[in-house]
Amino acid sequence: MGFFDKLFRRKKVMQEKKIFLEREDSQLSQIATTEKQRGMVIVNHLSVDDAVAERLLERVIAFDVETTGLSAKSNRIIEIGAVLFENGEESKRYSTLVDAGVNVPPTVTAINHITNEMLLTAPREKFVYPEFLAFLGDALEGKTMLCAHNARFDMDFLSETMMRLGYDATISCVDTLALSRKMLKLRSNKLNTVAQYFGIENEQAHHAVADAKVCGKILQELLKLKKEQQKQHMQYLEESSLDEEEMETCAYIQKIIADHEGDLEFLGFSKNKKGYIDVIFISSIFKIKFMKKRRYILAEKRFFQNSDLEIEPCSKTEGTEAYVRVFFQNPFQLENVAESIWHIYKEHYDKEMYSLAMGYLTREDAVCIIKSLHTLSVYDVAKLLQRASEREEERLWKEKETERIAAEQQKEREKKAEEKKKAKEEKKAEEKKNASAGRKSLGRPVLQMTDDLVIVARYESIAEAIRETGINSKSIRDAAKGVQKHAGGYVWKYEDEQQL
């Protein structure tokens, strides 16, 4: 390319930039024109239930937009990226920059690296959206669903743009940001953070089509995780599982019975829908209830006449006046009522053995019952009680540590208060000393006067004038020397000069 070719090319680019800026100035009038022909876009933000999850696994369009700002009303889309996933795999994509007739602020360019020069050769909105909407296809009828990370932001921009250009649509979408917040325990649920969690690489962050692809892959991983979590939840419901602390309590109860050489063959534990844990030997012996801050045994009062643990009447729904709640903080406190637990078990055991002996219940029936319960081996009991012991030690340590930290903090507060008090006293003493030294110093008397030279006050020195009036020392000195007219709104003169 010759010198003049380069010169004319540069001139052409400058003219294009001028046209671009002129277009920006006319933006409001263009918006006013298009507003008259607004379309109607309905956006349905869906929760991901089983039916929605199945549809998403079959077909979904992940999309992302880059914009000139945060307001869908006053800002514009300058890049669109969309990726169609079918059966969990990418099948096709759409990507383009968009000349929306607006200026890209430097702060936006710093994020998405899209410049005004890049948009000079980009297609205008009127050419982009027919192509993009054709790519979306039946998604405009709510059949194929869309997904985006922080979908409300992207959908607000897309729907506002479509309506401004006169398009109608009904769109269904899901939000991978909301879904990841619900399903994952991450400190941040930003696109790249979630992608990193799943081991997904973003080829070009803040590039619309790259972000759209990552969003789609994240959705696939979340759907797989949701399916697995649902499977685990169903298993949990079927098994009525007990948590670790509940199992530790069950282990200690079994230990008490074993220490008394009780029969453990048909001993097991089960949690009902109301959250009560039944201690069972063929049938229920007594119940345990775990609340948020408290836990208790629910059993007949006659077994706990001399208990060292806290006891209160049970609720009306739990039983008659013959039943009580026996509270405990940890499994090891049950040692205080070990004899009571053993006597409850022994009485119940004798009844069940009588039923077996009389044929009211067969051994096969008892075996079927025990198969549906949580049972503990000797190893399970030892392991659970070891964990319970560690948990109790940890709780006591935390309690002591909390007390220690509180004591240190109180000590530190007292120390700071004492230091503050001492500093205040020292400052006061220093001020008093300085004031005394100032009064002893003869200095040079100074007069405070009005503009009519009427004396308002006389001070032995400028130091005294400062203390009494609070006016800046430099201002008083400069006024007294004639450098400035006033200090604090008054005329100042040295007394010896005024007499002259």
Side-chain angles (χ1 to χ4, degrees):
M1 182 182 290
F3 172 77
F4 289 101
D5 290 333
K6 291 181 180 179
L7 183 64
F8 287 123
R9 184 176 180 275
R10 182 177 179 184
K11 183 177 180 182
K12 182 180 179 182
V13 170
M14 294 301 292
Q15 289 173 343
E16 287 175 339
K17 287 183 179 179
K18 182 178 179 181
I19 294 169
F20 185 87
L21 294 174
E22 289 174 351
R23 187 191 309 140
E24 181 186 0
D25 294 336
S26 64
Q27 176 186 352
L28 293 176
S29 61
Q30 290 177 356
I31 292 173
T33 302
T34 56
E35 285 289 333
K36 296 177 182 178
Q37 303 168 357
R38 284 181 68 84
M40 173 62 71
V41 176
I42 299 171
V43 179
N44 298 314
H45 293 273
L46 303 179
S47 298
V48 183
D49 57 19
D50 292 347
V52 170
E54 287 300 320
R55 289 176 59 192
L56 291 170
L57 284 169
E58 290 177 6
R59 183 181 172 89
V60 65
I61 296 174
F63 86 104
D64 182 68
V65 296
E66 297 295 333
T67 68
T68 59
L70 301 177
S71 171
K73 293 286 185 182
S74 57
N75 298 118
R76 293 290 182 266
I77 295 172
I78 53 175
E79 185 182 21
I80 300 173
V83 179
L84 173 63
F85 285 84
E86 293 179 299
N87 299 316
E89 299 293 333
E90 179 184 346
S91 61
K92 62 178 180 177
R93 62 171 60 186
Y94 178 87
S95 177
T96 185
L97 292 172
V98 184
D99 177 3
V102 295
N103 187 49
V104 181
T107 52
V108 171
T109 299
I111 297 171
N112 57 33
H113 309 295
I114 299 174
T115 65
N116 288 309
E117 287 74 17
M118 291 167 65
L119 298 183
L120 287 175
T121 56
R124 301 291 297 274
E125 286 182 332
K126 65 180 181 180
F127 299 114
V128 169
Y129 284 90
E131 290 182 355
F132 179 53
L133 299 185
F135 177 85
L136 294 180
D138 63 3
L140 302 177
E141 300 171 2
K143 294 179 180 179
T144 296
M145 287 182 281
L146 303 185
C147 76
H149 206 72
N150 191 13
R152 289 195 179 276
F153 175 87
D154 297 87
M155 285 308 309
D156 283 351
F157 269 91
L158 179 59
S159 59
E160 175 61 28
T161 304
M162 288 174 63
M163 289 189 290
R164 178 167 52 80
L165 297 175
Y167 293 103
D168 298 334
T170 299
I171 300 173
S172 296
C173 73
V174 296
D175 188 356
T176 53
L177 174 62
L179 196 57
S180 60
R181 282 174 175 166
K182 183 179 179 180
M183 297 180 64
L184 307 177
K185 304 298 181 184
L186 302 178
R187 290 186 177 181
S188 169
N189 288 279
K190 292 180 180 179
L191 183 72
N192 288 331
T193 305
V194 179
Q196 187 177 9
Y197 173 81
F198 285 121
I200 300 169
E201 184 179 356
N202 193 340
E203 299 169 354
Q204 194 174 356
H206 294 295
H207 182 52
V209 73
D211 286 353
K213 182 178 179 180
V214 169
C215 176
K217 286 187 174 182
I218 286 173
L219 178 64
Q220 302 303 316
E221 293 297 327
L222 288 170
L223 292 174
K224 290 177 187 176
L225 182 60
K226 181 178 176 63
K227 196 169 184 178
E228 180 61 28
Q229 288 178 346
Q230 187 177 23
K231 182 181 177 181
Q232 293 174 358
H233 180 64
M234 290 301 295
Q235 187 176 355
Y236 166 83
L237 293 177
E238 290 172 4
E239 296 178 355
S240 299
S241 61
L242 284 68
D243 66 31
E244 192 172 27
E245 290 191 61
E246 291 169 341
M247 290 297 289
E248 289 165 3
T249 298
C250 293
Y252 203 88
I253 290 170
Q254 182 165 317
K255 177 183 177 297
I256 290 172
I257 296 170
D259 288 347
H260 286 79
E261 299 183 353
D263 186 354
L264 305 177
E265 183 181 4
F266 298 120
L267 183 69
F269 310 91
S270 178
K271 189 174 183 180
N272 64 28
K273 292 180 179 180
K274 292 184 179 180
Y276 289 92
I277 300 168
D278 281 290
V279 179
I280 296 170
F281 187 89
I282 300 177
S283 62
S284 181
I285 307 173
F286 59 86
K287 297 181 188 295
I288 308 166
K289 178 69 172 179
F290 277 69
M291 299 188 293
K292 287 185 178 179
K293 294 184 179 180
R294 309 188 78 185
R295 56 196 67 174
Y296 59 87
I297 290 173
L298 180 63
E300 287 187 72
K301 179 168 60 176
R302 62 189 175 92
F303 291 104
F304 298 94
Q305 296 297 328
N306 300 313
S307 173
D308 294 331
L309 300 180
E310 179 188 349
I311 296 176
E312 71 175 25
C314 68
S315 66
K316 291 181 179 180
T317 58
E318 289 177 326
T320 64
E321 294 178 357
Y323 287 82
V324 293
R325 294 173 171 179
V326 183
F327 290 94
F328 61 97
Q329 290 184 343
N330 60 69
F332 303 104
Q333 283 193 338
L334 295 178
E335 190 61 36
N336 295 324
V337 290
E339 289 302 316
S340 298
I341 290 172
W342 165 247
H343 286 121
I344 296 172
Y345 165 84
K346 187 65 172 66
E347 184 177 298
H348 182 86
Y349 172 83
D350 291 342
K351 289 179 182 178
E352 293 298 343
M353 288 298 103
Y354 179 78
S355 295
L356 282 172
M358 296 301 293
Y360 301 143
L361 182 74
T362 66
R363 189 171 185 82
E364 289 73 18
D365 292 333
V367 171
C368 287
I369 291 170
I370 199 67
K371 283 183 177 179
S372 66
L373 304 177
H374 291 281
T375 58
L376 300 173
S377 66
V378 174
Y379 172 78
D380 292 334
V381 171
K383 185 177 179 181
L384 285 164
L385 294 183
Q386 175 63 30
R387 177 66 187 117
S389 177
E390 292 171 356
R391 189 194 306 279
E392 184 61 14
E393 288 177 3
E394 185 179 354
R395 184 188 69 80
L396 292 173
W397 180 84
K398 285 182 178 179
E399 193 175 273
K400 289 180 181 178
E401 189 67 9
T402 300
E403 291 175 358
R404 183 188 67 78
I405 292 171
E408 287 182 355
Q409 290 175 341
Q410 179 61 27
K411 189 176 180 180
E412 186 65 23
R413 285 194 292 269
E414 290 174 356
K415 181 181 177 182
K416 287 182 179 179
E418 185 64 28
E419 289 174 350
K420 188 176 180 181
K421 181 181 177 181
K422 185 177 179 181
K424 189 175 181 181
E425 289 174 351
E426 289 176 352
K427 183 179 179 182
K428 191 173 182 180
E430 184 66 22
E431 289 175 349
K432 187 175 181 180
K433 180 180 177 182
N434 292 339
S436 176
R439 283 192 295 272
K440 289 177 183 179
S441 175
L442 295 176
R444 189 178 178 187
V446 65
L447 302 176
Q448 180 185 15
M449 300 180 293
T450 65
D451 286 339
D452 298 330
L453 301 183
V454 175
I455 297 174
V456 175
R458 177 185 179 279
Y459 303 101
E460 287 296 329
S461 65
I462 288 180
E464 184 181 0
I466 294 167
R467 286 194 303 273
E468 296 298 327
T469 65
I471 301 171
N472 181 275
S473 62
K474 185 176 183 306
S475 297
I476 295 175
R477 286 191 179 92
D478 287 347
K481 292 177 181 178
V483 176
Q484 62 186 52
K485 185 175 181 181
H486 295 98
Y490 292 96
V491 175
W492 297 81
K493 295 288 185 182
Y494 287 114
E495 186 178 43
D496 52 5
E497 292 181 356
Q498 180 65 14
Q499 290 173 352
L500 293 174

